[in-house]
Amino acid sequence: MWWIIGIILFLIINICIIILSRLYITLLYLHRDDRDFLQVELRFLRWVKIKKEVPLIAVDKEDMSIKTKEKTEVGSKDKGEQSKSYTPKDIYNQIKSIHDFLNRVIGLHKIIRRFLQKVHVESLKWDTQVGTPSASTTGTICGAIWSVKGCIVGILSQYLKLKQKPEIYVTPFFQQKHSVTRLECMISFRFGQAIFAVFQIVRYTKGKIPKWRKKTA
C-alpha cells in the first residue's frame, strides 16, 4: 500500500517539476554578404537539448526556390545533415495551411497575447553593419535600420517581458559595399504555460484540426 502511495507522490512531484520548469530557446542568425547561417537551440531541464543548424540559405535564381542544408543534434547525438529545397508553391501551401487553421481558432489573439505576456526575453543582441559607395546613401540606410529596430524592440517590450536591456547596434561603413548582421536572442517560458496555450487553441478550434499541406514534388 505504502509503495503505491510513494509511486503516486513521485509521479506528482515529477509532473510538477516538468510543468514549472522553464523551456529556453536560443536563436542565432548570421548574415554576411550573400551567406546566411541560422541556429536554433532548445534546452529543457538539464537533460533535454535539441539544436538545429541551417548553415546555408540560398535562393536558386532559376526556379526561385530556397535551398538549405540542415543539421540536427538531439543531446549528444548528431542526426546528420540534410539538403532541403522549398519552392514558392511549397511556401505558399504552408502559409495557406497555417492561415486556414488560425482562422478556425476562436479568440486566437487573446490566447497568444496571454501566452506572450508570460514569455521572458532573457537576452537580445542585434548588430548590423552596412555600407555603400555613397556616403549619403549609407547614412540614409543606417537611419532607416535604426527606425526599424526601434519599432521592433518597442513591439517586443509591449508584448513580452524584457529581462535585460536589448543591445542594438548599427555601424556605417562609408565608401564601400558592406553587409553584416548578427542577431542573438534567448527567450524562455514555463513548459506548463505552453501546454495550456496549446490546449486552449485545440479547445477553441472549430471542427477538426486540418492537416498541413504536403510539399510538392
Side-chain angles (χ1 to χ4, degrees):
M1 181 66 182
W2 287 107
W3 66 271
I4 296 178
I5 297 176
I7 292 175
I8 294 175
L9 289 176
F10 176 79
L11 292 175
I12 292 175
I13 291 173
N14 278 273
I15 290 174
C16 290
I17 291 175
I18 292 174
I19 290 176
L20 297 177
S21 295
R22 301 195 74 84
L23 183 69
Y24 291 87
I25 300 176
T26 303
L27 170 70
L28 172 62
Y29 172 71
L30 301 174
H31 168 79
R32 180 182 293 273
D33 298 324
D34 294 329
R35 293 174 295 173
D36 296 270
F37 175 84
L38 176 65
Q39 176 181 291
V40 179
E41 182 178 292
L42 185 149
R43 289 190 296 110
F44 182 61
L45 298 175
R46 293 186 177 181
W47 306 281
V48 181
K49 180 181 177 181
I50 301 175
K51 182 167 68 175
K52 192 173 189 67
E53 294 182 357
V54 184
L56 177 63
I57 305 175
V59 179
D60 191 328
K61 295 181 179 180
E62 292 184 3
D63 58 0
M64 297 305 294
S65 62
I66 299 176
K67 299 185 181 297
T68 66
K69 290 184 178 180
E70 302 179 8
K71 179 181 178 182
T72 304
E73 293 181 11
V74 180
S76 59
K77 295 182 179 180
D78 190 344
K79 298 294 184 179
E81 191 174 79
Q82 290 182 323
S83 297
K84 295 185 178 181
S85 178
Y86 304 91
T87 65
K89 189 173 182 179
D90 293 332
I91 298 173
Y92 172 80
N93 287 338
Q94 293 296 335
I95 295 176
K96 184 69 166 56
S97 296
I98 295 173
H99 182 266
D100 292 343
F101 172 65
L102 296 181
N103 284 338
R104 298 174 62 179
V105 181
I106 302 174
L108 178 65
H109 176 74
K110 293 181 179 179
I111 296 173
I112 293 179
R113 188 181 181 89
R114 282 197 297 265
F115 172 71
L116 291 179
Q117 289 175 345
K118 299 173 183 177
V119 175
H120 292 178
V121 179
E122 304 291 341
S123 63
L124 175 60
K125 184 177 181 180
W126 192 358
D127 183 17
T128 300
Q129 302 172 4
V130 63
T132 67
S134 171
S136 59
T137 302
T138 300
T140 302
I141 294 175
C142 288
I145 293 175
W146 270 118
S147 299
V148 171
K149 288 188 175 183
C151 291
I152 292 176
V153 172
I155 293 173
L156 290 178
S157 62
Q158 181 179 358
Y159 287 94
L160 309 176
K161 294 182 179 179
L162 301 181
K163 304 298 289 184
Q164 296 181 10
K165 183 180 178 180
E167 299 182 43
I168 307 297
Y169 306 98
V170 178
T171 305
F173 282 71
F174 297 104
Q175 308 301 327
Q176 58 179 303
K177 290 184 178 181
H178 190 77
S179 176
V180 176
T181 294
R182 181 184 180 92
L183 173 63
E184 297 179 66
C185 180
M186 176 187 289
I187 64 172
S188 71
F189 48 85
R190 297 193 186 279
F191 187 73
Q193 294 168 344
I195 293 297
F196 181 68
V198 172
F199 172 77
Q200 285 187 308
I201 290 175
V202 174
R203 179 184 178 187
Y204 293 106
T205 299
K206 296 180 291 184
K208 295 182 179 180
I209 298 178
K211 297 181 180 180
W212 303 129
R213 300 171 188 267
K214 296 181 178 180
K215 291 176 60 178
T216 58

